[in-house]
Coordinates of all heavy atoms in Angstrom, one line a residue:
Chain A
R227 N 6.7 -14.1 17.8 CA 5.6 -13.3 18.4 C 4.5 -14.3 18.9 O 3.9 -14.2 20.0 CB 5.0 -12.3 17.5 CG 4.3 -11.2 18.2 CD 3.8 -10.1 17.2 NE 4.9 -9.6 16.5 CZ 4.8 -9.0 15.3 NH1 3.7 -9.0 14.7 NH2 5.9 -8.5 14.6
V228 N 4.2 -15.2 18.0 CA 3.2 -16.2 18.4 C 3.7 -17.0 19.6 O 3.0 -17.2 20.6 CB 2.9 -17.2 17.2 CG1 1.9 -18.2 17.6 CG2 2.4 -16.4 16.0
S230 N 5.8 -16.2 21.9 CA 5.9 -15.4 23.1 C 4.6 -15.4 23.8 O 4.6 -15.3 25.1 CB 6.4 -14.0 22.8 OG 5.4 -13.3 22.2
G231 N 3.5 -15.4 23.1 CA 2.2 -15.4 23.7 C 1.9 -16.7 24.4 O 1.0 -16.8 25.2
K234 N 1.6 -21.3 28.5 CA 1.0 -22.3 29.3 C 0.7 -23.6 28.5 O 0.5 -23.5 27.3 CB -0.3 -21.8 29.9 CG -0.2 -20.8 31.0 CD -1.4 -20.7 31.8 CE -1.4 -19.7 32.9 NZ -0.1 -19.6 33.6
H237 N -2.4 -23.6 26.5 CA -2.4 -22.9 25.2 C -1.9 -23.7 24.1 O -2.3 -23.5 22.9 CB -1.4 -21.7 25.3 CG -1.8 -20.6 26.3 ND1 -0.9 -19.7 26.8 CD2 -3.0 -20.4 26.9 CE1 -1.5 -19.0 27.7 NE2 -2.8 -19.4 27.7
N241 N -3.3 -24.7 19.2 CA -2.5 -23.7 18.6 C -1.8 -24.2 17.3 O -1.1 -25.1 17.3 CB -1.4 -23.2 19.5 CG -0.7 -22.0 19.0 OD1 -0.2 -22.1 17.9 ND2 -0.6 -20.9 19.7
L405 N 9.3 0.0 -23.2 CA 8.6 -0.3 -22.0 C 7.1 -0.2 -22.4 O 6.7 0.6 -23.2 CB 8.9 0.6 -20.9 CG 10.3 0.4 -20.3 CD1 10.6 1.4 -19.2 CD2 10.5 -1.0 -19.8
P406 N 6.3 -1.0 -21.7 CA 4.8 -0.9 -22.0 C 4.2 0.3 -21.5 O 4.7 0.9 -20.5 CB 4.3 -2.2 -21.3 CG 5.2 -2.4 -20.2 CD 6.6 -2.0 -20.6
S407 N 3.1 0.7 -22.1 CA 2.3 1.8 -21.5 C 1.4 1.1 -20.4 O 1.1 0.0 -20.5 CB 1.4 2.4 -22.6 OG 2.2 3.0 -23.6
I408 N 1.2 1.9 -19.4 CA 0.3 1.4 -18.3 C -0.9 2.2 -18.2 O -0.9 3.4 -18.1 CB 1.1 1.4 -17.0 CG1 2.5 0.8 -17.1 CG2 0.3 0.8 -15.9 CD1 3.3 1.0 -15.9
C409 N -2.0 1.5 -18.3 CA -3.3 2.1 -18.1 C -3.8 1.7 -16.7 O -3.9 0.5 -16.4 CB -4.3 1.7 -19.2 SG -5.9 2.4 -19.0
F410 N -4.1 2.7 -15.9 CA -4.5 2.4 -14.5 C -6.0 2.6 -14.4 O -6.5 3.6 -14.6 CB -3.7 3.3 -13.6 CG -3.7 2.7 -12.2 CD1 -2.5 2.1 -11.8 CD2 -4.8 2.7 -11.3 CE1 -2.4 1.5 -10.5 CE2 -4.7 2.2 -10.1 CZ -3.5 1.5 -9.7
Y411 N -6.6 1.5 -13.9 CA -8.1 1.6 -13.6 C -8.2 1.8 -12.1 O -7.8 1.0 -11.3 CB -8.8 0.3 -14.0 CG -9.0 0.2 -15.5 CD1 -8.1 -0.5 -16.3 CD2 -10.1 0.8 -16.1 CE1 -8.3 -0.6 -17.6 CE2 -10.2 0.7 -17.4 CZ -9.4 0.1 -18.2 OH -9.5 0.0 -19.6
T412 N -8.7 3.0 -11.7 CA -8.8 3.3 -10.3 C -10.3 3.1 -9.9 O -11.2 3.6 -10.5 CB -8.5 4.8 -10.1 OG1 -7.2 5.0 -10.7 CG2 -8.3 5.1 -8.6
F413 N -10.5 2.4 -8.8 CA -11.8 2.2 -8.3 C -12.0 3.4 -7.3 O -11.2 3.5 -6.3 CB -11.9 0.9 -7.5 CG -12.0 -0.3 -8.4 CD1 -10.8 -0.8 -9.0 CD2 -13.2 -0.9 -8.7 CE1 -10.8 -1.9 -9.8 CE2 -13.2 -2.0 -9.6 CZ -12.1 -2.5 -10.1
L414 N -13.0 4.1 -7.5 CA -13.3 5.3 -6.6 C -14.4 5.0 -5.7 O -15.3 4.1 -6.0 CB -13.6 6.5 -7.5 CG -12.5 6.9 -8.4 CD1 -13.0 8.0 -9.4 CD2 -11.3 7.4 -7.7
N415 N -14.4 5.7 -4.6 CA -15.5 5.6 -3.6 C -15.7 4.2 -3.1 O -16.8 3.7 -2.8 CB -16.9 6.1 -4.2 CG -16.7 7.4 -4.9 OD1 -16.0 8.2 -4.4 ND2 -17.4 7.5 -6.0
V416 N -14.6 3.4 -2.9 CA -14.8 2.1 -2.3 C -14.5 2.1 -0.9 O -14.7 1.1 -0.2 CB -14.0 1.0 -3.1 CG1 -14.5 0.9 -4.5 CG2 -12.5 1.3 -3.0
Q418 N -11.8 1.7 0.9 CA -10.9 0.6 1.3 C -11.6 -0.8 1.2 O -11.1 -1.7 1.7 CB -10.4 0.7 2.7 CG -9.8 2.1 3.0 CD -8.8 2.0 4.1 OE1 -8.8 1.1 4.9 NE2 -7.9 2.9 4.1
L420 N -12.1 -2.6 -1.6 CA -11.8 -3.4 -2.8 C -10.8 -4.5 -2.4 O -9.8 -4.3 -1.8 CB -11.2 -2.6 -3.9 CG -10.9 -3.3 -5.2 CD1 -12.1 -3.7 -5.9 CD2 -10.0 -2.5 -6.1
T421 N -11.2 -5.8 -2.6 CA -10.3 -6.9 -2.1 C -9.8 -7.7 -3.3 O -8.8 -8.4 -3.1 CB -11.1 -7.8 -1.2 OG1 -12.4 -8.0 -1.7 CG2 -11.3 -7.1 0.2
I432 N -13.9 -6.2 -16.5 CA -13.2 -6.1 -15.2 C -14.2 -6.6 -14.1 O -15.3 -6.2 -14.1 CB -12.8 -4.7 -14.8 CG1 -11.7 -4.2 -15.8 CG2 -12.1 -4.7 -13.4 CD1 -11.2 -2.8 -15.5
R442 N -18.7 -7.0 -8.5 CA -19.2 -6.2 -9.6 C -18.4 -6.4 -10.9 O -17.2 -6.7 -10.8 CB -19.0 -4.7 -9.2 CG -20.0 -4.2 -8.1 CD -19.5 -2.9 -7.5 NE -20.2 -2.6 -6.3 CZ -21.1 -1.7 -6.2 NH1 -21.4 -0.9 -7.2 NH2 -21.7 -1.5 -5.0
P492 N -16.7 -10.9 2.9 CA -15.8 -10.2 1.9 C -15.4 -11.2 0.8 O -15.1 -12.4 1.1 CB -14.6 -9.8 2.7 CG -15.2 -9.6 4.1 CD -16.3 -10.6 4.2
Y494 N -12.7 -12.5 -1.6 CA -11.2 -12.3 -1.6 C -10.6 -12.8 -3.0 O -9.4 -12.5 -3.2 CB -10.6 -13.2 -0.5 CG -10.9 -12.6 0.9 CD1 -11.6 -13.2 1.8 CD2 -10.4 -11.3 1.2 CE1 -11.9 -12.7 3.0 CE2 -10.6 -10.7 2.4 CZ -11.4 -11.4 3.3 OH -11.6 -10.8 4.5
E510 N -15.1 -15.0 2.2 CA -14.9 -15.3 3.6 C -15.9 -16.3 4.1 O -15.7 -17.0 5.0 CB -15.0 -14.0 4.4 CG -14.7 -14.0 5.8 CD -15.9 -14.3 6.7 OE1 -17.0 -14.1 6.2 OE2 -15.7 -14.7 7.8
Y533 N -13.7 -22.7 5.9 CA -13.1 -21.4 6.4 C -12.9 -20.5 5.2 O -13.2 -20.9 4.0 CB -11.8 -21.7 7.0 CG -11.9 -22.4 8.3 CD1 -11.6 -23.8 8.4 CD2 -12.4 -21.8 9.4 CE1 -11.8 -24.5 9.6 CE2 -12.5 -22.5 10.6 CZ -12.2 -23.8 10.7 OH -12.4 -24.4 11.9
P534 N -12.6 -19.2 5.4 CA -12.4 -18.3 4.3 C -11.6 -18.9 3.2 O -10.6 -19.5 3.4 CB -11.7 -17.1 4.9 CG -12.1 -17.1 6.4 CD -12.3 -18.6 6.7
W536 N -9.3 -17.9 0.3 CA -8.5 -16.7 0.0 C -8.3 -16.4 -1.5 O -8.2 -15.3 -2.0 CB -7.1 -16.7 0.6 CG -7.1 -16.8 2.1 CD1 -6.3 -17.6 2.9 CD2 -7.7 -15.9 3.1 NE1 -6.5 -17.4 4.2 CE2 -7.3 -16.3 4.3 CE3 -8.6 -14.8 2.9 CZ2 -7.8 -15.7 5.5 CZ3 -9.1 -14.2 4.1 CH2 -8.7 -14.7 5.3
H552 N -8.1 -20.7 4.2 CA -7.6 -20.8 5.6 C -7.5 -22.2 6.1 O -6.7 -22.5 7.0 CB -8.6 -20.0 6.5 CG -8.2 -20.1 7.9 ND1 -7.2 -19.4 8.4 CD2 -8.8 -20.7 9.0 CE1 -7.1 -19.6 9.7 NE2 -8.0 -20.4 10.1
D576 N -2.2 -21.0 6.0 CA -3.2 -20.7 5.1 C -2.7 -20.7 3.7 O -1.6 -20.2 3.4 CB -3.7 -19.2 5.3 CG -4.4 -19.1 6.7 OD1 -4.1 -19.9 7.6 OD2 -5.2 -18.2 6.8
T578 N -2.7 -18.8 0.5 CA -3.0 -17.4 0.3 C -3.3 -17.1 -1.2 O -4.0 -16.2 -1.6 CB -2.0 -16.4 0.8 OG1 -0.7 -16.9 0.3 CG2 -2.0 -16.4 2.3
D659 N 6.6 -2.8 0.3 CA 5.4 -3.4 1.0 C 4.9 -4.6 0.2 O 5.5 -4.9 -0.8 CB 4.3 -2.3 1.1 CG 3.4 -2.5 2.4 OD1 3.3 -3.7 2.8 OD2 2.9 -1.5 2.9
Y662 N 1.2 -7.5 -4.2 CA -0.1 -8.1 -4.4 C -0.4 -8.6 -5.8 O -1.3 -9.3 -6.1 CB -1.3 -7.2 -4.0 CG -1.5 -7.2 -2.5 CD1 -1.4 -6.0 -1.7 CD2 -1.9 -8.3 -1.8 CE1 -1.6 -6.0 -0.4 CE2 -2.1 -8.3 -0.5 CZ -2.0 -7.2 0.3 OH -2.2 -7.2 1.6
M678 N 1.5 -2.8 -2.4 CA 0.8 -1.9 -1.5 C 1.5 -0.6 -1.3 O 1.0 0.4 -0.8 CB 0.8 -2.7 -0.1 CG -0.1 -2.2 0.9 SD -1.7 -2.6 0.5 CE -2.6 -1.7 1.8
E714 N 19.8 -3.3 -11.6 CA 19.9 -3.4 -13.0 C 18.7 -3.9 -13.7 O 18.4 -3.6 -14.8 CB 21.1 -4.3 -13.4 CG 22.5 -3.7 -13.0 CD 23.6 -4.8 -13.2 OE1 23.5 -5.5 -14.1 OE2 24.4 -4.8 -12.3
L717 N 13.4 -1.8 -14.5 CA 13.3 -1.0 -15.7 C 12.5 0.3 -15.4 O 12.7 1.3 -16.1 CB 12.7 -1.8 -16.8 CG 13.5 -3.0 -17.3 CD1 12.7 -3.7 -18.4 CD2 14.8 -2.6 -17.8
Y720 N 6.7 3.2 -11.3 CA 5.6 4.2 -11.5 C 4.8 4.4 -10.3 O 4.1 3.4 -9.8 CB 4.8 3.8 -12.7 CG 5.7 3.6 -13.9 CD1 6.1 2.3 -14.3 CD2 6.1 4.7 -14.7 CE1 7.0 2.2 -15.4 CE2 6.9 4.5 -15.7 CZ 7.4 3.3 -16.1 OH 8.2 3.1 -17.1
L721 N 4.9 5.5 -9.7 CA 4.2 5.8 -8.5 C 2.7 6.2 -8.8 O 2.5 7.0 -9.7 CB 4.9 6.9 -7.7 CG 4.6 7.1 -6.3 CD1 5.1 5.9 -5.5 CD2 5.3 8.3 -5.7
T722 N 1.8 5.6 -8.0 CA 0.4 6.0 -8.2 C 0.1 7.0 -7.1 O 0.9 7.2 -6.2 CB -0.6 4.8 -8.1 OG1 -0.5 4.4 -6.7 CG2 -0.2 3.7 -9.0
K723 N -1.1 7.6 -7.2 CA -1.5 8.6 -6.2 C -2.3 7.9 -5.2 O -3.5 7.7 -5.3 CB -2.3 9.7 -6.9 CG -2.3 11.0 -6.2 CD -3.0 12.0 -7.2 CE -2.9 13.4 -6.7 NZ -3.5 14.3 -7.6
L737 N -0.2 -4.2 -23.7 CA -0.5 -3.0 -22.9 C -0.7 -3.4 -21.5 O -1.5 -4.4 -21.3 CB -1.7 -2.2 -23.5 CG -2.2 -1.0 -22.7 CD1 -1.3 0.1 -22.8 CD2 -3.6 -0.7 -23.1
Y744 N -8.5 3.9 -4.9 CA -8.0 5.1 -4.4 C -8.2 5.1 -2.9 O -9.3 4.9 -2.4 CB -8.6 6.3 -5.0 CG -8.1 7.6 -4.5 CD1 -6.8 8.0 -4.8 CD2 -8.9 8.4 -3.7 CE1 -6.3 9.2 -4.3 CE2 -8.4 9.6 -3.2 CZ -7.1 10.0 -3.5 OH -6.7 11.2 -3.0
Q747 N -6.9 8.5 2.4 CA -6.0 8.9 3.5 C -4.5 8.8 3.2 O -4.1 7.7 3.0 CB -6.3 8.2 4.8 CG -7.5 8.7 5.5 CD -8.6 7.7 5.7 OE1 -8.3 6.5 5.9 NE2 -9.8 8.1 5.8
Chain B
C16 N 5.1 -7.8 22.8 CA 4.7 -9.2 22.7 C 4.2 -9.7 24.1 O 3.2 -10.3 24.3 CB 5.8 -10.1 22.3 SG 6.3 -9.7 20.6
E47 N -4.0 -13.7 32.1 CA -3.1 -14.4 31.2 C -3.8 -15.1 30.0 O -3.5 -15.0 28.9 CB -2.2 -15.4 31.9 CG -1.0 -14.7 32.6 CD -0.2 -15.7 33.3 OE1 -0.5 -16.9 33.3 OE2 0.8 -15.2 34.0
E48 N -4.9 -15.8 30.5 CA -5.6 -16.5 29.5 C -6.3 -15.5 28.5 O -6.2 -15.7 27.3 CB -6.7 -17.3 30.2 CG -7.7 -18.1 29.3 CD -7.0 -19.2 28.6 OE1 -5.8 -19.6 29.0 OE2 -7.5 -19.7 27.6
Y51 N -3.8 -14.0 26.1 CA -3.4 -15.0 25.1 C -4.4 -15.1 24.0 O -4.1 -15.1 22.8 CB -3.1 -16.4 25.7 CG -2.9 -17.5 24.7 CD1 -1.7 -17.5 24.0 CD2 -3.8 -18.4 24.4 CE1 -1.4 -18.5 23.1 CE2 -3.6 -19.4 23.5 CZ -2.4 -19.4 22.8 OH -2.2 -20.4 21.9
Q58 N -3.9 -11.9 15.8 CA -3.1 -12.5 14.7 C -4.0 -12.9 13.5 O -3.7 -12.7 12.3 CB -2.3 -13.7 15.2 CG -1.0 -13.3 15.8 CD -0.5 -14.2 16.8 OE1 -1.0 -15.3 16.9 NE2 0.5 -13.8 17.5
K62 N -4.6 -11.4 9.3 CA -4.7 -12.1 8.0 C -5.8 -11.5 7.2 O -5.7 -11.3 6.0 CB -5.1 -13.6 8.3 CG -4.0 -14.5 8.5 CD -4.5 -15.9 8.7 CE -3.4 -16.8 9.3 NZ -4.0 -18.1 9.8
F63 N -6.9 -11.1 7.9 CA -8.0 -10.6 7.1 C -7.7 -9.2 6.6 O -8.1 -8.8 5.5 CB -9.3 -10.5 8.0 CG -9.9 -11.8 8.2 CD1 -9.6 -12.6 9.3 CD2 -10.8 -12.3 7.2 CE1 -10.2 -13.8 9.4 CE2 -11.4 -13.5 7.4 CZ -11.1 -14.3 8.5
H65 N -4.6 -8.3 5.7 CA -3.8 -8.5 4.5 C -4.6 -8.9 3.3 O -4.3 -8.4 2.2 CB -2.7 -9.6 4.8 CG -1.6 -9.0 5.6 ND1 -0.8 -8.0 5.2 CD2 -1.0 -9.4 6.8 CE1 0.2 -7.7 6.1 NE2 0.0 -8.6 7.1
H66 N -5.5 -9.8 3.5 CA -6.3 -10.2 2.3 C -7.3 -9.1 1.9 O -7.7 -9.1 0.7 CB -7.0 -11.5 2.6 CG -6.1 -12.7 2.6 ND1 -5.7 -13.2 1.4 CD2 -5.4 -13.4 3.6 CE1 -4.8 -14.2 1.7 NE2 -4.7 -14.3 3.0
G67 N -7.6 -8.3 2.8 CA -8.5 -7.1 2.4 C -7.7 -6.0 1.7 O -8.2 -5.0 1.4
K68 N -6.4 -6.3 1.6 CA -5.5 -5.3 1.0 C -5.5 -3.9 1.6 O -5.7 -2.9 1.0 CB -5.8 -5.2 -0.5 CG -5.1 -6.3 -1.4 CD -6.1 -7.3 -1.9 CE -5.4 -8.3 -2.7 NZ -6.2 -9.5 -2.9
R69 N -5.5 -3.9 2.9 CA -5.5 -2.7 3.6 C -4.3 -2.6 4.5 O -3.6 -3.6 4.8 CB -6.8 -2.7 4.5 CG -8.0 -2.2 3.8 CD -9.2 -2.3 4.7 NE -9.7 -3.7 4.8 CZ -9.7 -4.4 5.9 NH1 -9.2 -3.9 7.0 NH2 -10.2 -5.6 5.9
R70 N -4.0 -1.4 5.0 CA -3.0 -1.2 6.0 C -3.5 -1.1 7.4 O -2.8 -1.0 8.4 CB -2.1 0.0 5.7 CG -1.1 -0.3 4.6 CD 0.1 0.6 4.8 NE 0.9 0.6 3.7 CZ 0.7 1.3 2.6 NH1 -0.3 2.2 2.6 NH2 1.5 1.2 1.6
K71 N -4.8 -0.9 7.5 CA -5.4 -0.6 8.8 C -6.3 -1.7 9.2 O -7.2 -2.2 8.4 CB -6.3 0.7 8.6 CG -6.6 1.4 9.9 CD -7.4 2.6 9.6 CE -6.6 3.8 9.3 NZ -7.4 4.9 8.9
H79 N -14.4 -11.1 11.9 CA -14.1 -12.3 11.1 C -13.2 -13.2 11.8 O -13.4 -14.4 11.7 CB -13.5 -11.8 9.7 CG -14.5 -11.2 8.8 ND1 -14.2 -10.1 8.1 CD2 -15.8 -11.5 8.6 CE1 -15.3 -9.7 7.4 NE2 -16.2 -10.5 7.7
K82 N -15.1 -15.1 14.2 CA -15.9 -16.1 13.5 C -15.1 -17.3 13.2 O -15.6 -18.5 13.3 CB -16.4 -15.5 12.2 CG -17.8 -16.0 11.7 CD -18.3 -15.2 10.5 CE -18.9 -16.1 9.5 NZ -19.1 -15.4 8.2
L83 N -13.8 -17.1 12.8 CA -13.0 -18.3 12.6 C -12.9 -19.2 13.8 O -12.8 -20.4 13.7 CB -11.5 -17.8 12.3 CG -11.1 -17.5 10.9 CD1 -9.6 -17.3 10.8 CD2 -11.5 -18.6 9.9
Q95 N -15.8 2.3 10.5 CA -14.8 1.9 9.5 C -13.5 2.5 9.9 O -12.4 1.9 9.8 CB -15.2 2.5 8.1 CG -16.2 1.7 7.4 CD -15.6 0.5 6.7 OE1 -14.6 0.6 6.1 NE2 -16.3 -0.6 6.7
E96 N -13.5 3.7 10.4 CA -12.2 4.4 10.4 C -11.5 4.5 11.7 O -10.3 4.5 11.8 CB -12.5 5.9 9.9 CG -12.8 5.9 8.4 CD -11.7 5.2 7.6 OE1 -10.5 5.4 7.9 OE2 -12.1 4.5 6.7
L133 N -21.5 8.1 -2.6 CA -21.3 7.9 -4.0 C -21.1 6.4 -4.3 O -20.5 5.7 -3.5 CB -20.1 8.7 -4.5 CG -20.3 10.2 -4.5 CD1 -19.0 10.9 -4.7 CD2 -21.3 10.6 -5.5
D134 N -21.5 6.0 -5.4 CA -21.4 4.6 -5.7 C -20.0 4.3 -6.2 O -19.3 5.2 -6.7 CB -22.4 4.2 -6.8 CG -22.5 2.7 -6.9 OD1 -22.1 2.0 -6.0 OD2 -23.1 2.2 -7.9
V135 N -19.6 3.1 -6.2 CA -18.3 2.7 -6.7 C -18.2 3.0 -8.2 O -19.2 2.7 -8.9 CB -18.0 1.2 -6.5 CG1 -16.7 0.8 -7.0 CG2 -18.2 0.8 -5.0
S136 N -17.1 3.5 -8.6 CA -17.0 3.8 -10.0 C -15.6 3.5 -10.5 O -14.7 3.4 -9.6 CB -17.4 5.2 -10.4 OG -16.5 6.1 -9.7
L137 N -15.4 3.4 -11.7 CA -14.1 3.0 -12.3 C -13.6 4.1 -13.1 O -14.4 4.7 -13.9 CB -14.4 1.8 -13.1 CG -13.2 0.9 -13.4 CD1 -12.6 0.4 -12.2 CD2 -13.7 -0.3 -14.3
K138 N -12.4 4.4 -13.0 CA -11.8 5.5 -13.8 C -10.5 5.1 -14.3 O -9.7 4.6 -13.6 CB -11.7 6.8 -12.9 CG -11.2 8.0 -13.7 CD -11.1 9.2 -12.7 CE -10.9 10.5 -13.5 NZ -9.7 10.5 -14.3
A139 N -10.3 5.3 -15.6 CA -9.0 4.9 -16.2 C -8.1 6.1 -16.5 O -8.6 7.2 -16.8 CB -9.3 4.2 -17.5
H140 N -6.9 6.0 -16.3 CA -5.9 7.0 -16.7 C -4.6 6.4 -17.1 O -4.4 5.2 -16.8 CB -5.8 8.1 -15.6 CG -4.9 7.6 -14.5 ND1 -5.4 7.0 -13.4 CD2 -3.6 7.7 -14.3 CE1 -4.5 6.7 -12.5 NE2 -3.3 7.1 -13.1
W141 N -3.7 7.1 -17.7 CA -2.4 6.6 -18.1 C -1.4 6.8 -17.0 O -1.1 7.9 -16.6 CB -1.9 7.3 -19.4 CG -2.7 7.0 -20.6 CD1 -3.6 7.7 -21.2 CD2 -2.7 5.7 -21.3 NE1 -4.1 7.1 -22.3 CE2 -3.6 5.8 -22.3 CE3 -2.0 4.5 -21.1 CZ2 -3.8 4.8 -23.2 CZ3 -2.2 3.5 -22.0 CH2 -3.1 3.6 -23.0
L142 N -1.0 5.7 -16.5 CA 0.1 5.7 -15.5 C 1.4 5.9 -16.1 O 2.3 6.5 -15.6 CB 0.1 4.5 -14.6 CG 1.0 4.4 -13.4 CD1 0.6 5.4 -12.4 CD2 1.0 3.0 -12.8
S143 N 1.5 5.4 -17.3 CA 2.8 5.5 -18.0 C 2.5 5.4 -19.5 O 1.6 4.6 -19.9 CB 3.7 4.4 -17.6 OG 4.5 4.0 -18.6
I144 N 3.2 6.1 -20.3 CA 3.0 6.0 -21.8 C 4.4 5.7 -22.3 O 5.3 6.5 -22.2 CB 2.4 7.3 -22.4 CG1 1.0 7.5 -21.9 CG2 2.4 7.2 -23.9 CD1 0.5 8.9 -22.2
D145 N 4.6 4.6 -22.9 CA 5.8 4.1 -23.4 C 6.9 4.3 -22.3 O 8.0 4.7 -22.7 CB 6.2 4.8 -24.7 CG 5.3 4.4 -25.8 OD1 4.7 3.3 -25.7 OD2 5.0 5.2 -26.7
G146 N 6.6 4.0 -21.1 CA 7.6 4.0 -20.1 C 7.8 5.4 -19.4 O 8.7 5.5 -18.6
Q148 N 6.0 8.6 -17.4 CA 4.8 8.9 -16.7 C 4.3 10.3 -17.0 O 5.1 11.2 -16.9 CB 5.1 8.8 -15.2 CG 3.8 8.8 -14.3 CD 4.1 8.3 -12.9 OE1 5.2 8.4 -12.4 NE2 3.0 7.8 -12.3
P152 N -3.1 15.2 -13.4 CA -3.5 15.3 -12.0 C -3.7 13.9 -11.3 O -3.6 13.7 -10.1 CB -4.8 16.1 -12.0 CG -4.8 16.8 -13.2 CD -4.0 16.1 -14.2
E153 N -4.0 12.9 -12.2 CA -4.2 11.6 -11.6 C -2.9 10.9 -11.1 O -3.0 10.0 -10.4 CB -4.9 10.7 -12.7 CG -6.3 10.9 -12.9 CD -6.5 12.0 -14.0 OE1 -5.5 12.6 -14.4 OE2 -7.7 12.3 -14.4
N154 N -1.8 11.4 -11.7 CA -0.6 10.8 -11.2 C 0.1 11.7 -10.2 O -0.2 12.9 -10.2 CB 0.4 10.7 -12.4 CG 0.0 9.6 -13.3 OD1 -0.6 8.6 -12.8 ND2 0.3 9.7 -14.6
P155 N 0.9 11.2 -9.3 CA 1.6 12.0 -8.3 C 2.5 12.9 -9.1 O 3.0 12.6 -10.2 CB 2.3 11.0 -7.4 CG 2.4 9.8 -8.2 CD 1.2 9.8 -9.1
E180 N 16.7 6.2 -14.4 CA 16.6 5.0 -15.1 C 17.4 5.1 -16.4 O 18.2 4.2 -16.8 CB 15.2 4.7 -15.4 CG 14.5 3.9 -14.3 CD 13.3 4.6 -13.9 OE1 12.5 5.1 -14.7 OE2 13.1 4.6 -12.6
I184 N 20.5 2.7 -17.5 CA 20.4 1.9 -18.7 C 21.7 2.2 -19.5 O 22.3 1.3 -20.0 CB 19.1 2.2 -19.5 CG1 17.9 1.6 -18.7 CG2 19.2 1.6 -20.9 CD1 16.6 2.2 -19.2
K187 N 24.6 0.7 -18.2 CA 24.7 -0.7 -18.5 C 25.2 -1.0 -19.9 O 26.0 -1.9 -20.2 CB 23.3 -1.4 -18.3 CG 23.1 -1.8 -16.9 CD 21.8 -2.6 -16.8 CE 20.6 -1.6 -16.8 NZ 19.3 -2.2 -16.9
K197 N 30.0 3.9 -12.4 CA 28.6 4.3 -12.6 C 28.3 5.6 -11.9 O 27.6 6.4 -12.5 CB 27.7 3.2 -12.1 CG 27.3 2.2 -13.2 CD 26.3 1.2 -12.6 CE 26.8 -0.2 -12.8 NZ 26.1 -1.2 -12.0
P523 N -11.0 15.1 -9.4 CA -11.8 13.8 -9.5 C -11.2 12.7 -8.6 O -12.0 11.9 -8.1 CB -11.7 13.5 -11.0 CG -11.2 14.7 -11.7 CD -10.6 15.6 -10.7
T524 N -9.9 12.7 -8.5 CA -9.4 11.5 -7.8 C -9.3 11.8 -6.3 O -8.9 11.0 -5.5 CB -8.0 11.2 -8.3 OG1 -7.3 12.5 -8.4 CG2 -8.0 10.5 -9.6
Q525 N -9.7 13.0 -5.9 CA -9.7 13.3 -4.5 C -11.1 13.5 -4.0 O -11.6 14.6 -4.0 CB -8.9 14.6 -4.3 CG -7.4 14.3 -4.0 CD -6.7 15.6 -3.8 OE1 -6.7 16.5 -4.6 NE2 -6.0 15.8 -2.7
P526 N -11.7 12.4 -3.5 CA -13.0 12.6 -3.1 C -13.1 13.5 -1.9 O -14.1 14.3 -1.8 CB -13.4 11.2 -2.7 CG -12.4 10.3 -3.3 CD -11.2 11.1 -3.4

Side-chain angles (χ1 to χ4, degrees):
Chain A
R227 199 175 305 153
V228 177
S230 72
K234 287 201 182 318
H237 296 160
N241 186 306
L405 293 176
S407 299
I408 307 172
C409 180
F410 202 101
Y411 285 95
T412 312
F413 288 80
L414 299 171
N415 313 319
V416 294
Q418 305 206 342
L420 182 71
T421 43
I432 296 182
R442 287 164 194 253
Y494 291 116
E510 186 269 342
Y533 291 103
W536 297 133
H552 177 72
D576 295 26
T578 47
D659 209 331
Y662 277 119
M678 195 74 187
E714 288 170 41
L717 296 178
Y720 304 97
L721 198 63
T722 67
K723 207 170 183 178
L737 172 73
Y744 179 72
Q747 277 125 28
Chain B
C16 300
E47 278 180 2
E48 178 66 17
Y51 173 72
Q58 274 155 10
K62 272 183 198 168
F63 285 94
H65 279 302
H66 283 282
K68 275 111 179 163
R69 278 176 279 114
R70 278 209 193 83
K71 199 181 276 174
H79 289 137
K82 210 174 141 193
L83 270 193
Q95 283 275 324
E96 290 307 318
L133 292 169
D134 195 17
V135 179
S136 61
L137 201 58
K138 184 178 191 302
H140 75 269
W141 290 106
L142 185 67
S143 147
I144 296 169
D145 294 332
Q148 191 161 27
E153 285 87 353
N154 287 329
E180 272 127 43
I184 288 166
K187 271 185 280 171
K197 264 185 236 165
T524 43
Q525 266 178 309

